[in-house]
Amino acid sequence: MATTLITEIQQAQTRLPLLSRADRGALIVRILRELNTHRREALGHVPTERCVWIDKLIASVSSTISQIVDMPDAEFNRVLNEFEKLIATLDGISHAEKPSTTIH
């Protein structure tokens, strides 16, 4: 799922001037869903006090979606760049944490 979202972010960046406010909003909502999924699935077993950073990020983005959507193209592009890096990093970490199966 993360790779699909990363591709969507990259495509949005190439079409940034053509994106409507609704398109931008939908992309930010998809990013939020991915962050929530990662929080629930990959970090669900981690003590709450160690997940404050992602909980704050999710809350902050949730409460400022309209401001993010209304950003000028250059700023919105920077936000997308950072989300792309974050999602790729979280995806890499979650895959690295899964124990590999050894067949004897």
Side-chain angles (χ1 to χ4, degrees):
M1 185 87 131
T3 28
T4 303
L5 181 56
I6 290 170
T7 302
E8 286 181 39
I9 291 170
Q10 292 168 344
Q11 290 171 346
Q13 289 173 305
T14 62
R15 304 180 291 116
L16 198 56
L18 305 174
L19 292 181
S20 68
R21 188 175 194 286
D23 293 333
R24 288 178 176 216
L27 182 57
I28 296 301
V29 168
R30 288 251 309 110
I31 290 168
L32 271 172
R33 281 191 197 128
E34 182 68 24
L35 292 174
N36 276 311
T37 298
H38 182 79
R39 171 65 174 99
R40 187 179 58 255
E41 293 176 4
L43 299 174
H45 65 283
V46 176
T48 304
E49 64 272 6
R50 295 193 62 210
C51 295
V52 172
W53 63 273
I54 196 165
D55 292 336
K56 283 185 178 182
L57 176 63
I58 290 167
S60 176
V61 173
S62 294
S63 67
T64 59
I65 290 176
S66 62
Q67 290 100 327
I68 295 169
V69 167
D70 289 334
M71 288 178 168
D73 288 351
E75 287 181 48
F76 189 72
N77 189 45
R78 281 193 292 273
V79 169
L80 292 180
N81 279 331
E82 294 305 316
F83 277 130
E84 179 185 354
K85 289 188 275 186
L86 176 61
I87 290 167
T89 300
L90 293 174
D91 188 52
I93 290 169
S94 67
H95 283 101
E97 289 178 355
K98 292 180 182 172
S100 58
T101 305
T102 305
I103 300 173
H104 296 283

